[in-house]
Amino acid sequence: MEDFVREIETGSSLFLLYGDDGVGKSRLLLKLKADRLNHKSIRFIDFDTEQENETSDLIKQIAANATEGDVIIFDHFESATNKSQQQIFDSWSTEGRDKNLNMIVCASSAGFNRFRHLAHQYELEAMSFKLLPCDRAESEAYLLHLLYPDHAFATLALPTSVKRLLHQSKGLFSRLREIADHHSDLINIKHEIESASRTLPFVIIFSLLIGIAAAGYFFHLSQSSTDIELANTEIQSGPNVPVSGSEPEPEPEPEPELEPEPVPELATDSGSIEVSEPMVEVESVINTPAYVIQNDDVAESDPNWFKQRLVYSHDWIHNSNSNRGTIQIMSIGVERFNAGNFQAYLDGLREQGLDISQLRLFETQAGNRAVYTLIFGDYIDRHEANRQIGFLPEILGAEKPIPRSTGSIAREIAINNSN
């Protein structure tokens, strides 16, 4: 959806959204209209519900009354009459190009060939987006979202019968919703203590560190005790050389040998060690974390570190394959951003064991507002990034992370720079 919206915002075009029946095309268009394009004037025509005899004239009238930058959406293209299908291309060739309209045509895979034939006949170009079904991990994530929206990091416990239905659904949203509606009583979640499982590696690491420190402390004390004993032995057994012309002094009586004091043992009971939760609360794209934008008294050791991090992030984005995936963690308004507290935030993540080289920052626009956007990770593609959202480190505190492609980010930066 992000790439789709970005292309619409960039300029005027004729778009085709296609995919198998039940993959969620109409749902995507409705969400697009309600959430992402609600600042634009939009007309929605569904050929499954419109009167066939009036549709062709309706398309012509809507295009004639449209103004600069309006969006017209045509759903279920394959259900329209030949005359209505041709009228879409007629209106785009005239009104659409003159008024810089955006026309979105939604079709099933069967309607794709008809659309391509008409585009060739009218000698027009169109941008096409194919909506793919979910893979197994995405299907389970969608069921988890439908049935247990408050347990984002849980794992579903599926009986064999539901697993078979999940395989037969082929990742289509309509079939996944049917499974959720009719078999919700069979689907549970595995009740695992996530905090304990996430904390366990840190407990093990701290236990090992304490064990190493204790061993080093014993070794240091034993070496020190040995050196003292050797020195005392040499002093006691060494020859006494008399000074010329004087009587030899009587040898001092040997002092009683001192026994080394017992070394206290260090407790290494891993059960008593607790790893504190991160001090930083990070919220999602809209809600900026207060830790990052307040407390302006944080000092910086290198005044150029923030600029270097931006350059490093931009180099990674522009030098990566455009199909690589990453995860957008949050966006922060430039006017509210404080570099010192951002450094403190990164230090806190580093202390908790997170590889902060996987965190990258770039400047872009959200509407008419300049923002810094924080991304995390490097994955083979956007689908893998979407799958990895469920395994994000808890210390990041991301509430609504979204998958992104490096190509879409590079285009977003280029548009921002051109403005």
Side-chain angles (χ1 to χ4, degrees):
M1 182 186 291
E2 294 297 324
D3 294 335
F4 202 174
V5 172
R6 195 169 296 107
E7 293 295 340
I8 293 174
E9 297 286 358
T10 300
S12 171
S13 187
L14 176 64
F15 298 95
L16 172 65
L17 175 66
Y18 71 102
D20 296 338
D21 291 334
V23 78
K25 301 183 297 298
S26 297
R27 187 179 181 85
L28 175 64
L29 289 175
L30 291 173
K31 188 170 182 62
L32 194 71
K33 175 186 175 184
D35 297 344
R36 305 308 302 274
L37 298 177
N38 51 8
H39 61 289
K40 289 181 173 290
S41 176
I42 302 176
R43 290 300 306 268
F44 197 103
I45 299 177
D46 188 345
F47 290 112
D48 267 356
T49 59
E50 296 290 343
Q51 296 292 330
E52 292 186 0
N53 296 331
E54 301 175 0
T55 304
S56 176
D57 293 335
L58 178 62
I59 295 171
K60 186 175 181 179
Q61 180 183 354
I62 289 175
N65 294 335
T67 58
E68 185 88 10
D70 286 358
V71 179
I72 306 176
I73 300 175
F74 304 98
D75 197 9
H76 296 105
F77 174 78
E78 65 280 358
S79 299
T81 63
N82 291 338
K83 184 178 180 181
S84 296
Q85 292 175 349
Q86 292 174 356
Q87 185 60 53
I88 294 175
F89 287 87
D90 285 335
S91 297
W92 168 249
S93 301
T94 55
E95 304 286 353
R97 285 177 166 175
D98 292 343
K99 298 179 180 179
N100 291 325
L101 304 180
N102 282 298
M103 292 188 176
I104 305 173
V105 177
C106 180
S108 65
S109 297
F112 173 78
N113 290 333
R114 173 61 178 168
F115 183 94
R116 183 172 58 179
H117 173 74
L118 288 173
H120 180 73
Q121 177 181 329
Y122 280 83
E123 298 181 352
L124 296 176
E125 293 184 356
M127 297 186 65
S128 62
F129 293 85
K130 183 176 183 180
L131 191 58
L132 298 174
C134 299
D135 59 23
R136 178 59 180 265
E138 292 170 341
S139 297
E140 291 189 13
Y142 184 62
L143 283 179
L144 179 65
H145 170 72
L146 291 176
L147 299 176
Y148 300 97
D150 296 330
H151 297 77
F153 295 103
T155 302
L156 288 179
L158 303 174
T160 303
S161 59
V162 175
K163 289 181 179 179
R164 189 180 302 111
L165 291 173
L166 196 65
H167 176 72
Q168 294 172 355
S169 72
K170 298 181 179 179
L172 299 178
F173 284 102
S174 58
R175 297 183 183 178
L176 292 174
R177 286 193 295 272
E178 289 180 1
I179 294 175
D181 291 340
H182 298 99
H183 303 281
S184 59
D185 55 328
L186 301 177
I187 303 174
N188 298 307
I189 57 175
K190 298 178 181 178
H191 295 284
E192 298 178 352
I193 303 177
E194 295 184 6
S195 58
S197 63
R198 293 175 183 271
T199 305
L200 182 60
F202 296 106
V203 173
I204 294 174
I205 292 173
F206 273 94
S207 300
L208 289 175
L209 290 175
I210 290 178
I212 293 171
Y217 184 67
F218 278 117
F219 178 77
H220 173 71
L221 289 181
S222 62
Q223 286 293 101
S224 300
S225 300
T226 302
D227 291 341
I228 293 172
E229 290 177 1
L230 289 175
N232 288 337
T233 303
E234 290 176 359
I235 292 172
Q236 294 170 11
S237 62
N240 292 319
V241 181
V243 180
S244 178
S246 64
E247 292 293 328
E249 296 181 2
E251 294 182 3
E253 294 183 2
E255 297 180 354
E257 184 177 353
L258 299 177
E259 295 183 1
E261 296 182 0
V263 180
E265 295 184 359
L266 297 181
T268 59
D269 183 9
S270 62
S272 64
I273 299 173
E274 294 183 0
V275 179
S276 60
E277 292 295 326
M279 297 298 294
V280 182
E281 270 190 43
V282 182
E283 298 182 10
S284 61
V285 177
I286 301 301
N287 300 318
T288 305
Y291 186 89
V292 180
I293 63 173
Q294 298 176 359
N295 300 329
D296 296 334
D297 56 351
V298 178
E300 293 302 330
S301 58
D302 182 358
N304 295 321
W305 73 271
F306 183 66
K307 181 178 180 181
Q308 292 171 359
R309 177 165 283 275
L310 282 176
V311 172
Y312 155 74
S313 299
H314 282 212
D315 288 345
W316 177 82
I317 291 169
H318 291 293
N319 292 329
S320 296
N321 185 297
S322 61
N323 292 325
R324 299 290 294 181
T326 187
I327 300 172
Q328 179 172 315
I329 301 298
M330 63 179 175
S331 292
I332 307 170
V334 170
E335 76 282 356
R336 303 179 64 201
F337 184 83
N338 178 271
N341 294 296
F342 179 64
Q343 178 65 61
Y345 167 61
L346 294 180
D347 291 342
L349 296 180
R350 187 191 293 110
E351 290 174 1
Q352 295 293 330
L354 184 73
D355 180 9
I356 65 170
S357 65
Q358 294 296 311
L359 283 166
R360 302 171 181 93
L361 191 73
F362 63 93
E363 184 176 355
T364 183
Q365 292 280 332
N368 296 322
R369 182 187 181 198
V371 298
Y372 287 119
T373 297
L374 187 66
I375 56 178
F376 175 81
D378 179 12
Y379 309 103
I380 189 171
D381 55 26
R382 185 169 165 271
H383 291 290
E384 177 62 18
N386 186 56
R387 192 179 73 85
Q388 290 293 332
I389 286 178
F391 304 100
L392 278 178
E394 193 175 59
I395 55 177
L396 283 178
E399 290 187 357
K400 297 179 182 178
I402 58 175
R404 298 289 303 274
S405 67
T406 55
S408 68
I409 295 175
R411 288 193 296 272
E412 186 174 314
I413 293 174
I415 294 172
N416 181 53
N417 292 338
S418 65
N419 294 334

